[in-house]
Amino acid sequence: MAKVFYGTVKSVLSGDTLVVANINNPANERTFSLAFVSAPRLSKDGDEPFAFQSREFLRNLTVGKQIKCTVLYIIPNSGREYGTAALQDKTEFPDESVKAGWLKVREDAGRKEESEEILERLDNLCNLETQAKNENKGLHAGTGGIIEVQNDIGGPEFLNEWKGKTVDGIVERVISGDRLLIRLLLTEKKHWQVMTLLAGIRTPSTERINTSTGQTQPGEEYGSEARAYVEQRLLQRQVKVKIVGASPQGQLVATVLHPVRGNIAEFLLQDGLARCNDFHSTMLGSDMAALREAEKKAQAARVRLHKNHVAKSTDSKDLEMTVIKIIGADAIIVRNKAGDEKRINLSSVRGPRAGEPSESPFRDEAKEFLRKRFIGKHVRITIDGSKAATDDFEARDVGTVIQNGKNINLTLVQEGYCSVIRHRKDDTDRAPNYDELLAAQETAKEEKKGMWSGKPPKVKQYADMSESVQKAKIQLSTLARQRKVPGVVDFCKSGSRFTILIPREGAKLTLVLAGVRAPRAGRTPQEKGEPFGQEALDLANRRCNQRDCEIDVHDIDKVGGFIGDLYINRESFAKLLVEEGLASVHKYSAEKSGNAAELLAAQKRAKEGKKGMWHDWDPSQDEVEETEAAPADSAADAAVTIDKKPEDYRDIVVTNIDAAGKLKIQEIGKGTASLTTMMNEFRKFNLDPKNNVAAKENPKAGDYVAAKFTADGEWYRARIRSNDRAAKVAEVVYIDYGNSEKQPWSKLRPLDQAQFGTQRLKAQAVDAQLSFVQLPVAPDYLSDAINFIYELTEGKQLVGSFDFVDTKENLSYITIFDPKSQGSAKVTESVNREIVLNGHAMVPRKLKPWERSKVFEPVLRSLKEAETKAKEDRLGMWEYGDLTED
């Protein structure tokens, strides 16, 4: 007797085979084949002709509908059930499919049947088949019916053609909630049956077997439920597929749209069976917003995957802060109006990493980009989350920073100076515009901006000019002639001592504020400094650290620090420091630098307000101090003021001009005569083979040696300036002429003979600088100027007027005359004026105190006239016009 069962058609495997699920228990399935007929087969290796069309006829009529199945027989080996079926609307199978021409009646059908009812049905099927053949229906058409099926998307050509387009497809299989096998009906003659990932979501994995080990891997919680959810709604349904991209593994990524209800991904998210997949955000663009909203609904309801969700606090207000320090491209220090400071890490972005070769070269450039635009600026901060303290990191807040309506996090990503962090699936401490950040990163990559350019930037190297007094002296000659030199405050060492970067000079230096003394802060939090030392340092950090600045340099100290003025936003910081009572005025150095009046007035206001260090100030104490200080101040003024024009003329020879334009001169007289005699003896001594003794193995800087000058092969007295111990090479200065060169240690000889030592005859080369003359800073013009000075002085016996001798620096300021070409020593005929007249130098805009003496006014007037003439004639440094500032 025939067995009957009822179920719901879950899927159709071919034109003659169904998968039927139990109505009350959908997980209970059975495969049911139609008796007496056969259909062309679908195969991964290639479908038989009309196989797809045959299957489609049955699928369109039955999938998702309840069906009554009558089992006529069972194949013993496979257990496969065969019989007939009928829908609730009385449509019967296989009759309907045979009538439409999509099934063939098997030739051996009914041979062993004895039932009259079955035999009668077989006759009816044969009649229906004959009718279909006569009408050339279905697979009886004879030609066509072959559809090529490709099982992967192939190369990039597929996406180039179809990305962004919406096409028809049939869900053939559901592997997991977010992974489907879809047959894409792209053309009549060719279909693509490919693994497809649901765009924008990730569902829990289902149980699967590891093919390499054969072991079963358990699925994640809600994995099976998510798969069943999708199967029930999409399996073997015709859907719309919007192609958005491909995964790194070559799987299609697409939005799958139910013909009536829409995007299945949104429903999975709303019901807590999926989470948003950040990796697909850039493919979806603005469509990702709807998915984020669906996920938020599930989180709020704590459904399934979000049952343990902890909602972020929404009562936090935006913070109004000021950026006071840039730690890196992704971290800043901010301060509120009350003075409280807070570290903020920018949400969802990360600056160039030190350990990544492709990123690390951009660390400094990214930090500088952020510093230039936002240091000292007022910003609004939204705290997006907090990171708890770990073994490696302190607790910190992450936030989105807005300045004048501009999102700083987004700006850094757009410029390629930050990458977007890939958050964990349960990490809610992220930027609210996370998808916009991801899209901006993709755009930056396409445009090859910042760290995505593939070309590391040229690293800016800064030479430390405060490393030694010698280096400081070299740089001083350049900086002292300029006003308002632009720089950046790199570090605040104390209230009055700073590390300054000078980008245009490629120099780094220590700047000491002129005219003031600030109390010293402790070097560590545990070390106690002087009273108000920490307050002075805090003020320096707040107002100066990492700010653009301008400096005026006056002098150097004994350890290589540059003494000068620091201006932040054109305001003297020394004045501000004194005004706040956090520094006192050093009257002598203030008057020497020319800012005494301003600083003393500021100090007076601080005292009267009893600020800082003057909190217990007694006015009567100042009167005593001023009385005692008066004589000393008068002496100081006398030291730099010249009342009578110098008449110290000496015969000289210029022996060397260094790269900064400083001169080495010899004074002609008894010293030079003695030098000639000594050098004759010196050369004879060193030509004698028995005196060929090498200098000691490890010579030190400052040692006197004998060295053979490369240009003429003669021996001269020299002193070691520096050593390259790796190469065993020394830089030597020839002490009687001032020029220098590098010599291997092996070619040096000791200068320990009494008859040739400096005790017998002092070094004859004297440091000198042209009075009232400032050489150009630009390398090309400076080189031209040095060459011009060589032309005027080389090999000539000249006259030098020693206008001022700086005993502290051992430097003589001179005006040079050529008696043979001029005939008399007048200022209008000096070498100094000739250099200015030909456009190779200018009159300094900032004069030293002694240069401002009244006796030199005619000299300065004549030189300024020469400068004006050079400008009018566009000579030398003036060839493009007057480029001087101020």
Side-chain angles (χ1 to χ4, degrees):
M1 184 177 176
K3 180 181 177 183
V4 176
F5 69 88
Y6 293 87
T8 301
V9 178
K10 181 179 179 181
S11 63
V12 177
L13 302 182
S14 63
D16 59 3
T17 304
L18 312 167
V19 175
V20 182
N22 187 292
I23 294 172
N24 299 319
N25 182 13
N28 187 5
E29 304 170 356
R30 57 208 295 183
T31 303
F32 182 76
S33 296
L34 300 177
F36 317 126
V37 293
S38 65
R41 296 292 163 218
L42 295 160
S43 171
K44 190 174 181 179
D45 297 327
D47 298 345
E48 294 179 357
F50 297 107
F52 175 72
Q53 295 90 330
S54 175
R55 197 283 303 267
E56 279 299 277
F57 180 81
L58 185 59
R59 184 191 67 78
N60 283 325
L61 291 175
T62 61
V63 166
K65 296 179 181 179
Q66 289 191 9
I67 197 166
K68 172 186 175 183
C69 298
T70 303
V71 180
L72 300 180
Y73 58 90
I74 300 174
I75 302 297
N77 293 334
S78 63
R80 176 73 63 85
E81 297 173 316
Y82 286 81
T84 59
L87 297 174
Q88 289 178 323
D89 63 1
K90 307 302 182 184
T91 302
E92 297 189 345
F93 299 97
D95 309 62
E96 193 69 17
S97 295
V98 172
K99 180 181 177 181
W102 295 117
L103 292 177
K104 289 183 178 180
V105 179
R106 293 205 310 270
E107 292 180 1
D108 60 347
R111 286 183 181 176
K112 298 181 180 180
E113 286 292 341
E114 297 178 355
S115 169
E116 289 294 330
E117 184 181 349
I118 292 176
L119 291 172
E120 183 179 344
R121 186 157 190 171
L122 275 171
D123 287 341
N124 182 50
L125 288 175
C126 290
N127 291 335
L128 291 173
E129 182 182 39
T130 301
Q131 184 180 349
K133 285 180 178 178
N134 292 337
E135 295 176 3
N136 294 324
K137 285 185 178 181
L139 50 84
H140 304 298
T143 58
I146 297 176
I147 298 176
E148 181 187 351
V149 180
Q150 184 170 318
N151 295 305
D152 56 53
I153 62 175
E157 298 81 11
F158 179 88
L159 284 179
N160 291 341
E161 182 177 356
W162 297 103
K163 186 176 179 180
K165 295 180 180 178
T166 301
V167 300
D168 291 323
I170 298 169
V171 178
E172 298 289 353
R173 187 179 166 200
V174 178
I175 289 87
S176 64
D178 59 357
R179 196 175 297 259
L180 316 176
L181 185 67
I182 300 181
R183 185 171 184 134
L184 302 176
L185 315 179
L186 301 185
T187 67
E188 290 184 2
K189 298 297 183 182
K190 185 175 181 179
H191 295 169
W192 276 259
Q193 186 163 296
V194 294
M195 187 66 68
T196 304
L197 306 180
L198 291 184
I201 67 166
R202 183 189 178 280
T203 62
S205 63
T206 54
E207 181 181 276
R208 59 191 183 277
I209 298 173
N210 189 322
T211 54
S212 59
T213 62
Q215 295 179 336
T216 301
Q217 291 181 314
E220 297 174 332
E221 187 179 17
Y222 302 113
S224 298
E225 189 174 341
R227 179 173 63 185
Y229 186 96
V230 177
E231 280 184 343
Q232 183 182 351
R233 290 159 176 77
L234 294 187
L235 183 62
Q236 288 229 309
R237 272 40 168 220
Q238 186 156 341
V239 295
K240 293 290 184 181
V241 181
K242 183 179 180 181
I243 298 169
V244 298
S247 72
Q249 294 76 32
Q251 297 166 325
L252 193 68
V253 179
T255 297
V256 178
L257 304 170
H258 185 276
V260 177
R261 303 297 300 279
N263 189 353
I264 185 67
E266 288 186 37
F267 291 95
L268 282 164
L269 288 166
Q270 283 178 7
D271 289 335
L273 291 171
R275 298 181 191 273
C276 285
N277 187 342
D278 296 335
F279 288 91
H280 295 169
S281 174
T282 53
M283 300 181 192
L284 285 168
S286 59
D287 292 342
M288 193 72 189
L291 302 184
R292 297 281 186 200
E293 196 60 37
E295 183 180 45
K296 285 180 182 177
K297 289 180 182 177
Q299 289 172 341
R302 295 187 178 180
V303 181
R304 296 188 177 91
L305 288 172
H306 308 292
K307 60 186 178 183
N308 298 319
H309 175 72
V310 179
K312 289 170 61 175
S313 173
T314 56
D315 58 358
S316 61
K317 296 181 180 178
D318 288 351
L319 306 176
E320 301 293 332
M321 311 287 268
T322 300
V323 180
I324 62 169
K325 186 176 182 180
I326 308 297
I327 298 173
D330 56 8
I332 59 177
I333 302 288
V334 294
R335 187 180 66 250
N336 63 14
K337 290 181 180 178
D340 299 323
E341 295 183 2
K342 180 189 284 284
R343 172 178 171 140
I344 299 292
N345 282 57
L346 304 185
S347 298
S348 300
V349 302
R350 177 172 52 211
R353 291 168 287 181
E356 290 290 331
S358 62
E359 297 181 14
S360 58
F362 293 90
R363 285 171 63 84
D364 292 340
E365 187 174 303
K367 181 179 177 181
E368 178 63 8
F369 176 86
L370 192 59
R371 186 202 69 78
K372 271 190 173 182
R373 285 157 180 78
F374 302 111
I375 191 71
K377 295 295 193 325
H378 181 78
V379 295
R380 190 178 77 253
I381 299 174
T382 303
I383 300 298
D384 299 321
S386 297
K387 301 294 184 185
T390 64
D391 293 339
D392 299 323
F393 299 100
E394 297 177 355
R396 59 196 187 280
D397 292 331
V398 295
T400 298
V401 183
I402 306 294
Q403 196 263 328
N404 281 344
K406 179 178 285 189
N407 186 316
I408 295 178
N409 309 41
L410 180 62
T411 300
L412 286 162
V413 174
Q414 288 172 333
E415 297 299 326
Y417 289 126
C418 275
S419 57
V420 182
I421 295 170
R422 296 293 184 177
H423 291 282
R424 299 189 312 274
K425 60 185 180 183
D426 58 345
D427 186 1
T428 57
D429 292 344
R430 59 174 67 191
N433 64 330
Y434 185 69
D435 296 314
E436 186 181 11
L437 293 174
L438 289 169
Q441 178 173 270
E442 291 306 307
T443 303
K445 286 181 178 179
E446 290 170 6
E447 295 176 358
K448 298 187 181 304
K449 286 189 172 181
M451 70 173 94
W452 312 116
S453 65
K455 299 175 182 177
K458 187 176 181 181
V459 179
K460 185 74 175 177
Q461 298 287 352
Y462 290 95
D464 187 356
M465 305 315 295
S466 292
E467 185 178 20
S468 66
V469 177
Q470 190 174 28
K471 278 190 174 182
K473 285 181 179 178
I474 295 171
Q475 190 67 29
L476 177 65
S477 62
T478 300
L479 296 179
R481 296 297 188 182
Q482 303 177 53
R483 294 189 66 185
K484 298 292 192 298
V485 179
V488 178
V489 180
D490 188 51
F491 183 69
C492 301
K493 299 180 178 181
S494 71
S496 60
R497 200 173 188 88
F498 307 87
T499 299
I500 307 291
L501 303 180
I502 313 292
R504 76 182 186 190
E505 302 286 345
K508 176 174 74 171
L509 55 86
T510 297
L511 179 73
V512 183
L513 294 184
V516 303
R517 184 195 177 279
R520 184 179 62 82
R523 284 173 289 184
T524 65
Q526 294 75 31
E527 182 182 344
K528 189 175 181 181
E530 296 175 349
F532 296 99
Q534 189 58 48
E535 288 84 345
L537 176 58
D538 290 343
L539 180 65
N541 278 320
R542 288 199 305 271
R543 294 297 186 94
C544 305
N545 193 27
Q546 295 189 328
R547 304 299 207 280
D548 289 329
C549 68
E550 294 174 317
I551 64 171
D552 281 343
V553 172
H554 309 308
D555 207 342
I556 60 172
D557 61 19
K558 60 184 179 181
V559 294
F562 289 74
I563 301 170
D565 302 322
L566 173 66
Y567 297 91
I568 304 293
N569 294 327
R570 299 189 177 182
E571 182 183 14
S572 167
F573 182 69
K575 174 190 167 187
L576 176 64
L577 199 65
V578 172
E579 221 163 34
E580 294 297 322
L582 298 174
S584 58
V585 178
H586 188 278
K587 194 171 181 182
Y588 166 64
S589 60
E591 290 181 345
K592 189 175 179 181
S593 59
N595 58 359
E598 180 182 52
L599 293 178
L600 288 169
Q603 181 170 274
K604 183 179 179 183
R605 290 192 293 272
K607 286 179 177 179
E608 291 171 351
K610 294 197 173 183
K611 291 184 177 180
M613 63 199 326
W614 309 112
H615 64 285
D616 55 357
W617 171 68
D618 179 5
S620 61
Q621 190 178 355
D622 271 6
E623 295 174 10
V624 176
E625 290 176 357
E626 285 173 12
T627 304
E628 293 174 350
D633 290 345
S634 301
D637 287 341
V640 294
T641 302
I642 299 173
D643 297 324
K644 185 179 178 183
K645 185 177 179 182
E647 296 182 358
D648 183 5
Y649 295 97
R650 309 177 199 175
D651 292 328
I652 63 169
V653 174
V654 176
T655 57
N656 188 59
I657 306 172
D658 70 13
K662 279 192 175 179
L663 311 180
K664 287 285 189 178
I665 62 172
Q666 286 181 354
E667 293 181 29
I668 300 171
K670 185 177 178 182
T672 50
S674 300
L675 178 64
T676 302
T677 303
M678 176 186 282
M679 293 313 297
N680 290 332
E681 297 173 7
F682 188 65
R683 291 188 184 100
K684 288 178 184 177
F685 177 85
N686 282 286
L687 288 172
D688 191 337
K690 69 182 180 186
N691 295 321
N692 187 5
V693 179
K696 59 185 179 181
E697 188 174 345
N698 289 308
K700 296 179 181 177
D703 286 353
Y704 287 100
V705 294
K708 183 188 284 188
F709 185 44
T710 306
D712 61 9
E714 296 287 353
W715 289 91
Y716 297 95
R717 298 191 301 171
R719 191 179 188 184
I720 294 177
R721 176 183 286 168
S722 62
N723 278 305
D724 182 346
R725 299 202 172 275
K728 294 188 175 182
V729 170
E731 182 183 4
V732 298
V733 180
Y734 295 101
I735 63 174
D736 297 311
Y737 299 92
N739 50 338
S740 63
E741 67 175 344
K742 291 185 177 180
Q743 290 275 16
W745 290 351
S746 58
K747 291 188 177 181
L748 302 179
R749 295 180 183 177
L751 190 64
D752 52 8
Q753 306 85 17
Q755 69 270 32
F756 303 130
T758 53
Q759 295 295 325
R760 165 85 182 276
L761 181 66
K762 69 176 184 179
Q764 293 297 295
V766 177
D767 286 322
Q769 188 167 320
L770 295 173
S771 299
F772 315 110
V773 168
Q774 178 181 333
L775 299 182
V777 176
D780 290 344
Y781 293 134
L782 178 59
S783 177
D784 291 344
I786 291 171
N787 289 335
F788 187 73
I789 297 170
Y790 266 125
E791 289 176 16
L792 296 179
T793 62
E794 192 171 22
K796 296 180 181 180
Q797 183 171 323
L798 307 165
V799 173
S801 171
F802 283 67
D803 302 316
F804 180 75
V805 178
D806 189 335
T807 53
K808 180 182 174 183
E809 300 295 337
N810 258 343
L811 180 65
S812 298
Y813 290 87
I814 62 174
T815 300
I816 298 177
F817 304 94
D818 184 353
K820 289 186 178 179
S821 62
Q822 308 280 347
S824 63
K826 293 182 180 178
V827 69
T828 54
E829 299 163 345
S830 70
V831 170
N832 303 40
R833 188 177 188 279
E834 191 71 15
I835 296 167
V836 174
L837 189 61
N838 282 274
H840 294 302
M842 61 186 283
V843 180
R845 297 299 182 262
K846 182 179 173 185
L847 296 171
K848 299 184 185 313
W850 70 266
E851 290 176 318
R852 295 197 293 268
S853 299
K854 195 165 185 176
V855 296
F856 293 121
E857 285 181 0
V859 179
L860 288 167
R861 193 181 308 115
S862 175
L863 290 172
K864 286 177 181 176
E865 289 172 359
E867 181 184 301
T868 303
K869 183 71 168 61
K871 287 179 182 178
E872 291 172 354
D873 295 342
R874 295 291 180 91
L875 298 178
M877 62 191 289
W878 313 113
E879 63 177 323
Y880 298 115
D882 188 352
L883 303 179
T884 57
E885 297 178 358
D886 195 12

